[in-house]
Amino acid sequence: MRYYDKLIFELSHPGRTGYTLPESFCGEFAAETAIPDSLFRKAPLDLPEVSEVDVVRHYTNLSQMNFGVDTGFYPLGSCTMKYNPKINEEIASHPLFAGLHPLQPADTVKGAQEVIDGLDAALAAITGMKHFTFLPCAGAHGELTGLMLMREYHLARGDAARTKVIVPDSAHGTNPASAAVCGLEIVEVKSGVDGLVDVEALKPLLGPDIAGIMMTNPNTLGLFERQIGEIAKLVHECGGLLYYDGANMNPLLGKVRPGDMGFDIMHLNLHKTFSTPHGGGGPGSGPVGVGERVLEYLRIPRTSGFHGNFGVMLRAYAYILMLGKENVKLAGPLATLSANYIKESLKDAYKLPIPTVCKHEFVFDGLINDGAREGKAGASTLDVAKRLLDYGFHAPTIYFPLLFHQALMIEPTETESLETLDEFIAVMHKIAEEAAEDPDILHGAPHNAPIGRPDETTAARNPILKA
Ligand SMILES: *Cc1c(COP(=O)(O)O)cnc(C)c1O
């Protein structure tokens, strides 16, 4: 073990400090500020005592044990982990934006309001919605907001019986979860063998109890729902609304608009499609857009926490303006090309359950030859994912969607070079060869990551969050 791999408590040395604080100025007010004895700590806090340089090295080393978009290729499906231009970070952290106070008088924040209005107009043009609210702080939060708007729409029309929402079996997990939180009952609609929503299976589900349907297009398998026009017609005819999950809008930018497909309500994940780095839990921004039908239910004001996660909005606006109308249209085709290139290059080694052209992402169902033989278990999708870490790539999304037992869901995005894609393809082939020769190499992976393979079930069920 290297010296700085130790816990910071192990680096502690009594009396060593990295700071000096000024004398407390509270002394003279001690009588007024007297804290009751009962509230005082009985023993000193057990904090590590280390010098400044030890602290810096501790955190820098920790940061290097992590994997991020800035360290390598991150093909996580249904997540859009792409490289985000650093200029957007610079703009978002500009003191004239970052220093705004939420309680400033409205007439001193006109510039910020102009950014929000400009972003609203740009997103409306991109999606075919009328207006957006910037209240929601993440995708799932947007889903909940959108579903509440859906409910409001029906209640205002005296249509209280509409308590069910249809969700395809390929949907992102947050869709049924948000519907449940909103108090709606979930009705699942099955996909056909082609991975698309089966219109014949949808028809019998439609009726006077249906509030609407939640969909994403391309769907979570990366496939374009070609019958969306027919689906929209059927749902509207039955009195329901269409909700669009636009968390991963890359493949459609500037090409196809959810509004034109017939969707009434949608959310975007600015922290996926519009250039805010995500992963690690935020901050995010999940603005909700509405079409004509629902416009009157959109609340005023349309920003939250005073102005929402404004830094995320700034990045999105800078990104859209910098690309411009023409270049924004390139993101989709490039993301689609990257995904199809990987899919076609690897289908000789990995099972491809749906062999059609995909959009921004696609799903393999494990290895064709997983090396299983008498007395030897084959390599699983988890094994492939762990082995990728040894070669310096982040793993794709695994075991999701639930339609396939060994799902390996790959989304390269539009920002990776051909060389990076080729390197990834070569490594995936190498891993397939290793599995065929000796799957134990994969069972034991990762071999050279900072930690080996934790027991994920125990870690999830009995998390030990302190040393
Ligand atoms: C990421 C994602 C969500 C949820 O967004 P959060 O910001 O993580 O809440 C919803 N739907 C899809 C398709 C997603 O990829």
Side-chain angles (χ1 to χ4, degrees), residues 220-221 338-356 358 361-368 380-381 384 388 396-411 424-425 428-429 432:
T220 305
L221 294 169
S338 300
N340 281 287
Y341 182 68
I342 295 181
K343 171 170 72 71
E344 291 304 309
S345 307
L346 287 176
K347 69 179 185 186
D348 58 340
Y350 294 82
K351 285 184 209 150
L352 182 63
I354 299 174
T356 47
C358 65
E361 62 191 2
F362 65 93
V363 181
F364 282 132
D365 189 13
L367 286 152
I368 289 177
S380 66
T381 277
V384 173
L388 269 171
T397 295
I398 56 173
Y399 300 111
F400 178 82
L402 307 175
L403 298 172
F404 309 109
H405 290 302
Q406 292 293 325
L408 196 71
M409 185 187 203
I410 299 176
E411 179 184 1
F424 176 72
I425 290 164
M428 287 288 279
H429 272 132

Side-chain angles (χ1 to χ4, degrees), residues 71-90:
T71 45
F73 182 45
Y74 208 129
L76 209 60
S78 194
C79 242
T80 312
M81 296 292 287
K82 65 179 175 185
Y83 172 74
N84 293 303
K86 292 290 170 274
I87 178 88
N88 298 344
E89 298 304 310
E90 218 166 287

Side-chain angles (χ1 to χ4, degrees), residues 78 138-140 143 172 174 245 247-248 269 271-272:
S78 194
E143 290 168 24
H172 193 271
T174 50
D245 179 339
N248 311 287
N269 278 20
H271 51 289
K272 286 183 185 172

Side-chain angles (χ1 to χ4, degrees), residues 209-244:
D209 55 348
I210 293 300
I213 187 170
M214 294 182 88
M215 284 181 73
T216 181
N217 194 14
N219 66 22
T220 305
L221 294 169
L223 305 170
F224 193 81
E225 299 277 1
R226 285 190 300 278
Q227 287 186 287
I228 187 61
E230 172 73 3
I231 294 173
K233 189 167 150 280
L234 289 170
V235 174
H236 282 146
E237 273 171 8
C238 107
L241 294 177
L242 282 92
Y243 183 93
Y244 184 82

Side-chain angles (χ1 to χ4, degrees), residues 80 82-89 91-92 115 119 122-123 126 249-251 253 269-277 311-332 334-335 413-415:
T80 312
K82 65 179 175 185
Y83 172 74
N84 293 303
K86 292 290 170 274
I87 178 88
N88 298 344
E89 298 304 310
I91 290 169
V115 168
L119 182 59
L123 296 181
I126 287 171
M249 259 286 285
N250 305 33
L253 288 184
N269 278 20
L270 298 188
H271 51 289
K272 286 183 185 172
T273 304
F274 294 99
S275 125
T276 281
V312 184
M313 294 178 225
L314 272 172
R315 291 180 182 94
Y317 196 41
Y319 181 70
I320 292 169
L321 291 182
M322 212 145 16
L323 282 178
K325 260 194 193 135
E326 287 312 309
N327 289 324
V328 99
K329 289 185 190 159
L330 292 176
L334 286 175
T413 81
E414 68 276 17
T415 54

